[in-house]
Amino acid sequence: MKTEYSLEKDDTDGVAFDDGFRWRPASSSSAEYIDNNNSKTANPSSFKKYQKNLQTLKPIRFSSSQSHPVDNAGFLSFSTFAWMTPMMWSVFRNKLDMSALNLSPMDIADTSGERLQRLWEEEVAKVGLEKASLVRVTLRFQRTRLIVSVIVGILAMVAAFLGPAVLVYKILNYAENPSLSTVGHGIGLAFGLFFSEFSKAFLISLLWALNLRTAVRLKGAFSSVAFQKVISLRVHSGISMGEMINVLTNDGHKLFEAVLFGSFVLSTPVLFIVCIVYACYILGYTALTGVCTYLIFIPVQFFLAKLINKFRWKAMLITDSRVRTMNEILNSIKLIKMYAWEDSFEKKIAGLRKTEKKELQRVSYVQNINSSITSIIPTTATVFTFVVHTLLGLSLNTSDAFTTIAIFNSMRFCLALMPLSVKALAEAAVSISRLRKILLIQNPDPYLVQKHNRDSAIVMKNATLSWTKPDRQLDSPPSTANGVNAYKADEMPQYENTETLPTLRNISFTLPKGNLLGVCGNVGSGKTSLISSILEQMHLLKGSVTADGTFAYVSQQAWIFHGTVQENILMGEPFDQAKYDRVLDVCSLRTDLAILPYGDQTEIGERGLNLSGGQKQRISLARAVYSNKEIFLLDDPLSAVDAHVGKHIFEECIKKELQGKSVILVTHQLQYLEFCDDILVLEDGEVREAGDHHALMKANGRYAQLISNYQMEQSKTPEEEDEVLLQDTSQLNEVELRDRADSGVVNPAFDMSEEKDDGMAADQKSAVGDQLVVQESTTEGAVSWRVYQRYCKAAGGYFVTFLTILNIVLMIGFTAFSNWWLSFWLGQGNGTSTHASVSDNPNLEFYQIIYGVGVIAMVLLAIIKCFFYTRVTLNAGCKLHDTMFRNIIASPMSFFDTTPTGRILNRFSKDQEEVDTVLPLHMDPFLQFCLMVTCTIIIISAVFPPMLVAVLIMGALFTVILFIFQRSIRQMKRMENISRSPCISLTTSTLQGLSTIHAYNIRDSHISMFKLLNDINSNHYLLFHSGTRWLSFWLDFMASTMALMVALFVVLTDDEVISPALKGLAMSYTIQVHLDSK
């Protein structure tokens, strides 16, 4: 079975996303989406499995049969993300229907999930379940692509070294002594710098392109394996609902990030080592001062990584608890509102959020310390190196000084990636351990034996069952010759753990084919457990359970999924009009369908929120009857309906329609038991009495007592009914409506009597009212200033926001001041000659003190930023969370009827996480980069005023690209956010209906549905990241062009016009901007 999941243009300019998942038969158009791996064989050759991917190595591909643009891309287009350009332009012009774009068949979750599952099974077979390493399996999954990306990364690091270190040094040497070589040589060096910088941009773009496709595959595989395991679970012991939701919806994204940054951890050490060697070659042994500064902080960063991992694990546990509690609140929202419990649950969530904030604060402090180290260490290392160098009286000229700065800035590239890589890998390790925890959960050993039996449908012999599996039984039970255990009250078998005492003990009964077995007993006597035991949801400790036939199951709490009434009844079965009409009649649903706005095509909200209890239960019963199985397990289906409806269902449905079927009926409606063929009376998990009605009444035991008590209660009912008849005539309609609602005949949510004709045409009304669940739609255009305004207010107000930004401005300002002061100091020479060594300057101490004070101020500001920035951003996240929760909990029930749980949980899980951790992590470097670019433009324009023309041209080009990019990438990000909600909705719905899904054996259709929804989300996620890399590549190209222009100015401008120190400063900042743009 397939789900229809569409993304279409509305009549408005917005794009709407339908996050309702529906049961639909598979369509031929979508068949290719699932069955995409026709070329794979049982044992593919080593080369053949790479055949499709190797097509990408063709430099240019003009035509291809592939459906996704990335599969049509040649090597150049793939590496530079040029295949995104038509798409970005189409999104910008609002001409692209993104629903037409499916994920590449090579990347879909179906293929990737099968492969990861196979690798896990191989690992388990090799080392055993307990020793199996999911980390090792994950590395095997991406082994080839990881090796290729590391090789590309190393080449990129070599290119990143050649430009700043070798070529900048040569250019500055040429600028100091242009007479030693020709102008052509200098121009050649400038173009060589452009080529090395462009090569670096190209190789890093290729690295991202490789990693993005690997990440999409691993994300899909991870989510697919997790969902398949969760949906196969018959018991949830040891793992919470919140944890399952997070594993299925959030943790795949964590692995995505880890794959993106993981290869950098292996490739950047190459750049680091080469830079160390070359710095010592250029400056001498004093360069080791700066190198040691870097080396000291590397173990510090790894220690901080361990702390991040530890604190992140604690924070995730609390987040799981908060999401689980939020899920429970949403599931019970009607009850909460009825009892006005909003305030108490608000306090509960506030308490969890407070604890979560403490853990997130620790993570953020450590994360900010990590990123601050990256910001200040190049300048700190430079200052220490030059102060020591000059104190020792060693010569220091412009080319050596600024080449050393360029080398240290290149080394900064390693540290800049380290915090992101470390964070991503730490969070991925937590996610993998959580998935492993789920994979280690073992289902109860299968014990139901499907055995052909001419007479009996179900036979249970001396069965003792428990919800949890005991470690071991200490005593084996005594048994008699005929195999029936002979226990006395005090002689039950002893179990090591009292929590695993059997729920059902010594249950023996036989259900003959075509018979109706009634099961009764007090609350907690084990009636529902008996049904669960037949569905293999418990652990069989002893005895046997055999069956002959397939099951239809009606749970005590009816499971209703989002779809129409008809879809809920059919549940994937082919439509048969005659059978369908008969089912509606016997389940007393005709009256309801007459009242519902669109009959059986009326859309039902998630969990059937817009239906009464009786309506839900009768739809669940109709589903069972329509399925036409051989054995029916009915768990109290008459509890939510009134007397006359219950009587109709029992007589017409259970006795007549299901005649010839084998039925187990658990009920509290004792008046129907006399019509059952056999009766089981349960008490404390044991069969107290068994037999037919007359035999049990004659025995005058527990059953007779229950019947007697029931008849006494019923004798009061006529008096109450007489009181109802005395009601005022004016209240009669209200009373009738209420009674019919209680009986499940009508729901006030669909009461159309008070609606007036407002002049709308009938077809317009139909269009408006057709969808109960409102589609999640995106807004068009830029993020409004009001959003930024609210964030600033949530952070503590405008003044606090101003102080936070001022702190970052001053920190970057002192960094720029240190570099400018160095160029000024180098320009002074020995005080008389600008070409002499600065170590001979009589004012050396003054220059050293100012240089040192600048770095001390920078370090202090960085420390302040760590704590201040963290508190401000976390306060903003908490304030926004609390406001969102208050607004949602205060919403009317109509909001919850029309809004899927997944959409709300999406806001409280992934979206909240982005506000708490992702936004602060990226906002800080973004602000620093903007300030650094501003400083660079000011410095270059001050040193080379004619460069202002080039800066203006590049600025205009950048503005055009950014204008196109912003609109397109914003739309892609919105689509990614929206496409996540249906995955969460399906996950929560599936977790609530696992018993029904298992009973009807419809797991495969749910797995296919989840994979499809996950692929849609992965596609938007891939396009979003590809869009950002598309922009990044063009920015790098412009930065390379800027580096070429500055290099040409340095080479062609005479020293008398511009001093070598200022030339070195301009070159240093140009290269630094290129590094920061990564």
Side-chain angles (χ1 to χ4, degrees):
M1 278 164 283
K2 261 320 246 176
T3 179
E4 286 187 359
Y5 187 85
S6 62
L7 170 59
E8 300 172 344
K9 296 271 178 189
D10 279 1
D11 292 334
T12 61
D13 289 334
V15 179
F17 211 98
D18 179 9
D19 58 339
F21 43 89
R22 301 287 188 82
W23 291 81
R24 306 280 194 208
S27 62
S28 57
S29 62
S30 60
E32 60 178 351
Y33 197 84
I34 294 298
D35 186 20
N36 58 77
N37 207 21
N38 296 329
S39 62
K40 68 180 179 182
T41 59
N43 295 299
S45 67
S46 298
F47 179 77
K48 191 173 182 181
K49 67 179 181 180
Y50 300 120
Q51 193 172 358
K52 285 186 179 179
N53 288 315
L54 288 173
Q55 297 298 314
T56 309
L57 291 177
K58 295 176 182 176
I60 299 172
R61 293 169 72 186
F62 295 103
S63 62
S64 172
S65 60
Q66 304 298 333
S67 59
H68 197 279
V70 73
D71 293 331
N72 294 327
F75 180 68
L76 296 175
S77 177
F78 176 76
S79 303
T80 60
F81 292 93
W83 58 272
M84 282 291 296
T85 308
M87 198 180 304
M88 301 288 278
W89 181 242
S90 298
V91 174
F92 171 71
R93 294 172 62 213
N94 215 22
K95 296 288 185 184
L96 181 68
D97 178 12
M98 296 183 74
S99 64
L101 284 176
N102 289 330
L103 190 64
S104 165
M106 289 188 282
D107 299 336
I108 63 171
D110 192 45
T111 309
S112 304
E114 281 180 14
R115 184 161 173 265
L116 186 64
Q117 183 68 41
R118 177 170 52 80
L119 292 173
W120 170 251
E121 287 168 0
E122 288 173 6
E123 174 78 5
V124 171
K126 189 177 178 181
V127 298
L129 189 62
E130 292 302 321
K131 292 183 180 179
S133 169
L134 194 55
V135 174
R136 193 159 52 233
V137 170
T138 306
L139 289 173
R140 277 189 66 197
F141 178 85
Q142 53 177 333
R143 180 174 54 196
T144 307
R145 299 181 73 88
L146 180 62
I147 291 168
V148 172
S149 68
V150 168
I151 292 169
V152 172
I154 290 171
L155 292 174
M157 294 307 110
V158 171
F161 162 77
L162 286 175
V166 179
L167 290 165
V168 167
Y169 179 64
K170 297 276 188 187
I171 289 168
L172 291 177
N173 271 339
Y174 172 85
E176 280 189 331
N177 299 293
S179 57
L180 296 179
S181 57
T182 63
V183 175
H185 175 70
I187 293 172
L189 288 173
F191 277 97
L193 178 65
F194 169 78
F195 178 76
S196 71
E197 292 298 289
F198 179 77
S199 298
K200 176 179 68 177
F202 180 83
L203 287 166
I204 286 179
S205 183
L206 173 60
L207 179 62
W208 278 101
L210 284 168
N211 287 352
L212 274 171
R213 292 205 76 175
T214 311
V216 161
R217 293 177 187 185
L218 185 58
K219 172 185 174 289
F222 179 94
S223 301
S224 173
V225 168
F227 188 83
Q228 286 180 97
K229 178 63 181 181
V230 166
I231 202 172
S232 71
L233 292 178
R234 295 197 295 272
V235 289
H236 289 171
S237 55
I239 187 163
S240 68
M241 180 78 79
E243 194 171 347
M244 281 193 190
I245 290 170
N246 273 334
V247 168
L248 292 170
T249 55
N250 285 352
D251 285 357
H253 293 84
K254 301 285 192 306
L255 264 76
F256 189 97
E257 297 291 333
V259 172
L260 289 187
F261 294 105
S263 55
F264 284 106
V265 175
L266 299 172
S267 54
T268 48
V270 174
L271 174 62
F272 200 79
I273 292 165
V274 174
C275 285
I276 290 171
V277 174
Y278 197 71
C280 293
Y281 167 74
I282 294 292
L283 199 62
Y285 64 90
T286 50
L288 291 173
T289 311
V291 169
C292 287
T293 310
Y294 271 95
L295 291 176
I296 287 167
F297 282 106
I298 287 174
V300 170
Q301 282 203 316
F302 278 104
F303 170 72
L304 293 176
K306 282 190 173 181
L307 280 181
I308 290 170
N309 196 1
K310 181 183 174 183
F311 294 148
R312 188 70 191 153
W313 175 255
K314 290 182 179 177
M316 277 179 139
L317 290 177
I318 300 164
T319 304
D320 288 345
S321 178
R322 177 174 61 80
V323 172
R324 182 179 69 248
T325 307
M326 195 66 217
N327 186 44
E328 289 169 358
I329 289 171
L330 293 173
N331 288 337
S332 309
I333 190 67
K334 192 174 283 187
L335 195 66
I336 290 168
K337 286 193 168 292
M338 188 178 291
Y339 286 99
W341 286 342
E342 290 96 335
D343 290 342
S344 59
F345 278 99
E346 188 176 336
K347 287 174 185 174
K348 171 78 173 171
I349 290 289
L352 288 169
R353 183 65 181 163
K354 190 176 180 182
T355 314
E356 183 184 18
K357 182 185 174 184
K358 286 179 183 176
E359 295 301 332
L360 286 173
Q361 211 159 37
R362 289 180 181 180
V363 175
S364 298
Y365 283 148
V366 178
Q367 193 71 52
N368 272 308
I369 290 168
N370 220 358
S371 59
S372 293
I373 287 170
T374 307
S375 302
I376 65 173
I377 198 170
T379 309
T380 308
T382 305
V383 170
F384 283 166
T385 303
F386 292 157
V387 167
V388 169
H389 193 85
T390 51
L391 282 173
L392 293 173
L394 299 173
S395 174
L396 182 67
N397 59 34
T398 302
S399 59
D400 289 350
F402 282 104
T403 301
T404 305
I405 290 174
I407 290 170
F408 283 165
N409 278 331
S410 295
M411 291 169 72
R412 177 195 173 189
F413 182 64
C414 306
L415 287 184
L417 282 169
M418 199 62 76
L420 292 171
S421 303
V422 161
K423 173 184 177 288
L425 290 173
E427 291 186 345
V430 173
S431 298
I432 287 173
S433 65
R434 284 168 22 139
L435 176 59
R436 185 176 182 274
K437 182 181 174 185
I438 291 176
L439 291 176
L440 290 179
I441 296 175
Q442 294 300 299
N443 268 322
D445 296 328
Y447 55 80
L448 181 71
V449 180
Q450 280 286 350
K451 186 176 180 182
H452 181 67
N453 190 320
R454 189 174 295 175
D455 301 318
S456 303
I458 296 176
V459 178
M460 193 175 281
K461 287 184 181 177
N462 306 316
T464 298
L465 301 107
S466 172
W467 282 107
T468 52
K469 191 174 185 178
D471 295 332
R472 61 190 176 95
Q473 292 183 10
L474 298 179
D475 299 318
S476 57
S479 62
T480 60
N482 64 2
V484 180
N485 291 350
Y487 288 114
K488 293 180 183 176
D490 56 350
E491 287 183 353
M492 283 304 297
Q494 299 299 307
Y495 294 89
E496 190 170 8
N497 187 349
T498 55
E499 291 182 6
T500 60
L501 284 174
T503 309
L504 299 174
R505 296 183 294 279
N506 298 326
I507 304 293
S508 296
F509 73 89
T510 299
L511 174 63
K513 286 191 174 179
N515 274 25
L516 172 59
L517 173 66
V519 181
C520 64
N522 288 333
V523 174
S525 59
K527 300 185 297 297
T528 297
S529 297
L530 181 67
I531 299 288
S532 299
S533 69
I534 297 169
L535 294 172
E536 289 190 292
Q537 292 173 2
M538 300 177 74
H539 296 271
L540 182 68
L541 307 183
K542 99 182 153 58
S544 65
V545 185
T546 59
D548 179 17
T550 53
F551 295 110
Y553 172 56
V554 177
S555 58
Q556 197 168 15
Q557 295 290 325
W559 178 60
I560 303 293
F561 56 84
H562 174 217
T564 64
V565 174
Q566 187 183 88
E567 287 165 355
N568 268 275
I569 293 172
L570 299 183
M571 201 158 72
E573 292 285 331
F575 182 71
D576 181 334
Q577 186 69 55
K579 184 167 77 168
Y580 181 72
D581 289 339
R582 193 168 63 251
V583 167
L584 292 182
D585 289 329
V586 299
C587 293
S588 191
L589 282 168
R590 284 287 182 195
T591 317
D592 298 271
L593 296 184
I595 294 168
L596 298 180
Y598 302 99
D600 63 356
Q601 296 304 310
T602 302
E603 189 178 357
I604 301 176
E606 201 171 28
R607 302 184 314 279
L609 276 174
N610 54 323
L611 298 176
S612 71
Q615 286 171 324
K616 285 189 283 188
Q617 195 64 274
R618 281 178 289 117
I619 287 173
S620 179
L621 181 62
R623 176 192 300 157
V625 176
Y626 190 86
S627 68
N628 198 29
K629 305 291 184 183
E630 291 152 339
I631 302 171
F632 286 76
L633 306 176
L634 311 180
D635 193 356
D636 213 3
L638 308 176
S639 59
V641 298
D642 69 0
H644 75 272
V645 176
K647 184 180 178 185
H648 173 85
I649 289 173
F650 184 81
E651 290 174 354
E652 297 297 324
C653 179
I654 298 173
K655 290 296 287 181
K656 289 183 182 178
E657 185 65 25
L658 299 183
Q659 189 175 10
K661 303 289 186 182
S662 307
V663 182
I664 295 180
L665 173 65
V666 173
T667 184
H668 288 283
Q669 310 289 320
L670 302 184
Q671 72 269 28
Y672 301 121
L673 292 176
E674 63 179 293
F675 303 105
C676 296
D677 299 308
D678 292 293
I679 299 165
L680 281 183
V681 182
L682 294 182
E683 189 168 317
D684 294 330
E686 294 181 304
V687 177
R688 182 70 174 268
E689 293 177 339
D692 61 22
H693 175 74
H694 298 292
L696 292 179
M697 289 301 289
K698 280 182 184 177
N700 200 24
R702 179 63 180 150
Y703 177 75
Q705 185 185 345
L706 287 171
I707 294 291
S708 175
N709 292 342
Y710 175 77
Q711 287 173 346
M712 287 175 63
E713 288 175 10
Q714 290 300 306
S715 65
K716 300 174 185 176
T717 307
E719 297 174 16
E720 293 172 2
E721 288 177 354
D722 289 341
E723 290 176 16
V724 173
L725 293 173
L726 296 173
Q727 295 290 332
D728 242 348
T729 311
S730 61
Q731 295 178 343
L732 241 128
N733 289 336
E734 184 185 344
V735 172
E736 184 183 356
L737 177 62
R738 185 175 66 249
D739 287 346
R740 288 169 72 195
D742 290 340
S743 68
V745 175
V746 66
N747 188 333
F750 294 123
D751 181 22
M752 316 293 278
S753 59
E754 293 183 4
E755 293 191 10
K756 300 289 189 290
D757 187 359
D758 52 4
M760 245 201 300
D763 56 343
Q764 287 178 306
K765 284 189 175 183
S766 176
V768 173
D770 194 33
Q771 287 293 319
L772 170 72
V773 175
V774 180
Q775 291 183 339
E776 187 169 7
S777 58
T778 63
T779 53
E780 287 288 313
V783 177
S784 69
W785 282 105
R786 195 177 175 188
V787 175
Y788 297 108
Q789 187 182 16
R790 284 185 176 177
Y791 187 81
C792 291
K793 285 183 177 178
Y798 296 122
F799 183 66
V800 171
T801 307
F802 170 74
L803 288 178
T804 309
I805 295 172
L806 179 64
N807 180 251
I808 296 171
V809 169
L810 290 173
M811 190 179 82
I812 298 298
F814 272 103
T815 307
F817 172 77
S818 297
N819 288 327
W820 174 82
W821 185 257
L822 176 65
S823 71
F824 177 73
W825 177 12
L826 290 168
Q828 301 306 306
N830 62 2
T832 55
S833 171
T834 56
H835 292 282
S837 174
V838 294
S839 300
D840 302 327
N841 196 306
N843 297 323
L844 180 65
E845 288 185 6
F846 169 70
Y847 292 117
Q848 287 176 335
I849 288 168
I850 298 295
Y851 201 36
V853 166
V855 96
I856 290 167
M858 188 177 64
V859 170
L860 287 172
L861 286 165
I863 293 169
I864 293 168
K865 190 209 80 172
C866 281
F867 293 95
F868 197 60
Y869 179 77
T870 298
R871 291 188 72 86
V872 166
T873 51
L874 259 183
N875 282 342
C878 289
K879 187 75 181 293
L880 291 171
H881 171 274
D882 295 344
T883 306
M884 177 170 65
F885 180 80
R886 279 196 299 271
N887 289 342
I888 283 178
I889 201 79
S891 299
M893 272 310 300
S894 57
F895 170 78
F896 298 97
D897 287 344
T898 57
T899 308
T901 305
R903 195 184 298 174
I904 301 173
L905 280 181
N906 190 10
R907 302 291 169 266
F908 283 95
S909 53
K910 182 67 179 148
D911 286 354
Q912 187 60 48
E913 186 206 359
E914 292 200 348
V915 174
D916 287 339
T917 57
V918 178
L919 181 62
L921 185 69
H922 290 92
M923 191 160 55
D924 181 25
F926 171 74
L927 290 170
Q928 291 189 39
F929 176 67
C930 288
L931 292 167
M932 189 63 71
V933 169
T934 305
C935 291
T936 302
I937 291 171
I938 291 168
I939 288 167
I940 291 174
S941 302
V943 174
F944 304 116
M947 274 288 289
L948 270 175
V949 177
V951 167
L952 288 173
I953 293 170
M954 298 288 270
L957 185 61
F958 172 75
T959 304
V960 171
I961 291 175
L962 190 64
F963 180 67
I964 296 171
F965 158 81
Q966 263 194 326
R967 182 167 178 178
S968 303
I969 207 69
R970 202 165 43 227
Q971 189 65 22
M972 288 174 181
K973 180 59 180 170
R974 284 169 177 158
M975 298 315 302
E976 188 274 319
N977 280 355
I978 288 172
S979 66
R980 206 184 309 125
S981 298
C983 290
I984 301 175
S985 290
L986 178 59
T987 300
T988 53
S989 177
T990 302
L991 290 172
Q992 287 157 4
L994 275 181
S995 298
T996 307
I997 289 168
H998 288 156
Y1000 287 94
N1001 196 23
I1002 53 172
R1003 279 172 294 187
D1004 291 345
S1005 59
H1006 272 74
I1007 291 169
S1008 299
M1009 198 185 304
F1010 179 82
K1011 285 178 179 176
L1012 178 60
L1013 297 179
N1014 188 74
D1015 286 344
I1016 289 167
N1017 176 247
S1018 294
N1019 189 40
H1020 290 305
Y1021 208 54
L1022 173 66
L1023 293 177
F1024 165 66
H1025 280 279
S1026 298
T1028 59
R1029 297 320 306 172
W1030 176 86
L1031 176 72
S1032 179
F1033 177 77
W1034 284 108
L1035 288 180
D1036 286 342
F1037 178 75
M1038 285 194 286
S1040 300
T1041 308
M1042 185 68 76
L1044 172 64
M1045 290 178 178
V1046 172
L1048 287 172
F1049 268 102
V1050 168
V1051 167
L1052 299 174
T1053 309
D1054 193 80
D1055 283 358
E1056 302 299 323
V1057 180
I1058 298 167
S1059 71
L1062 288 174
K1063 287 180 179 179
L1065 182 66
M1067 282 298 301
S1068 168
Y1069 264 94
T1070 305
I1071 296 297
Q1072 189 173 343
V1073 164
H1074 201 181
L1075 283 168
D1076 286 341
S1077 69
K1078 303 296 176 201

